[in-house]
Amino acid sequence: MQFKNLALAASIAATAAAAPAADAPKYFGVIAIKSGSAVQNAAFSAAQGSLIAGLQNKGSSCPETSFYINDGVLNIYDNTARPQEVYVDRSGMGQGKIGYTVGVQPAPANAERKGWSIQDGHLLFDGSSPIACPGVDGYSIWASAGVANPGGNKDCVGIAAHIVETNEPQPCWAN
């Protein structure tokens, strides 16, 4: 009798662990949160092979980007069968570079795809919040890799990547 209860409890625990987080929507946009900074409330966009917050050049790639997570992989929604998967390169060369591949394009050497999650309404990679670095077209988004100003950037700031659920995802055909 006790074995039956133990098996039932283990089954329930395994099911709960496999279920997505309660605050993980199917499709979502992302905005940067950093009070007192110009990046505050800037939306994430897929452009120029990277993620950019507050994209200034609205004619490039996807100014309104919707995302979803599948098995720990962050994807850019495009309503076709062509995958657009985000990767992170935390190697010494990549320093936390976040980029994406389109279709059958392979990820660069040292790239990681799995590790994305949503916790308390924020997008994380390997449990860490991203970094935003000012640039010409907005703020380039980098994963935390122990480098304060990755890729030769200056004045980078840690941000919270707040997710905003959407029921009408915007398709993006990034390039």
Side-chain angles (χ1 to χ4, degrees), residues 68 75-76 78 80-86 100-105:
Y68 65 96
N75 295 268
I76 299 167
D78 79 349
T80 71
R82 179 184 72 158
Q84 297 182 104
E85 297 180 327
V86 176
Y100 57 87
T101 57
V102 178
V104 296
Q105 181 183 24

Side-chain angles (χ1 to χ4, degrees), residues 1-17:
M1 188 70 144
Q2 288 178 340
F3 179 74
K4 193 186 270 188
N5 290 339
L6 183 61
L8 178 62
S11 174
I12 290 170
T15 302

Side-chain angles (χ1 to χ4, degrees), residues 101-159:
T101 57
V102 178
V104 296
Q105 181 183 24
N110 302 316
E112 303 170 75
R113 293 198 192 274
K114 288 190 173 192
W116 293 97
S117 64
I118 295 173
Q119 294 178 1
D120 299 323
H122 295 96
L123 181 65
L124 305 173
F125 182 77
D126 196 24
S128 296
S129 295
I131 298 168
C133 302
V136 176
D137 286 332
Y139 283 78
S140 59
I141 303 300
W142 295 72
S144 178
V147 180
N149 291 297
N153 288 290
K154 295 179 182 170
D155 303 320
C156 299
V157 294
I159 61 168

Side-chain angles (χ1 to χ4, degrees), residues 7 38-39 43 49 56 87 100 111 141-142 174-175:
V39 74
Q56 299 300 309
Y87 66 83
Y100 57 87
I141 303 300
W142 295 72
N175 50 26

Side-chain angles (χ1 to χ4, degrees), residues 28-33 39 41-47 50-55 62-67 74 98 116 123 130-132 139-142 159-162:
F28 55 91
V30 182
I31 61 170
I33 303 295
V39 74
N41 293 325
F44 282 28
S45 300
S50 299
L51 298 184
I52 299 176
L55 182 64
C62 305
E64 292 184 31
T65 304
S66 296
F67 301 94
L74 182 64
I98 296 177
W116 293 97
L123 181 65
I131 298 168
Y139 283 78
S140 59
I141 303 300
W142 295 72
I159 61 168
H162 182 69

Side-chain angles (χ1 to χ4, degrees), residues 21-31 65-67 118 121 162-170:
D23 65 346
K26 182 165 176 121
Y27 298 108
F28 55 91
V30 182
I31 61 170
T65 304
S66 296
F67 301 94
I118 295 173
H162 182 69
I163 61 154
V164 180
E165 184 174 0
T166 181
N167 293 324
E168 296 180 25
Q170 299 297 310

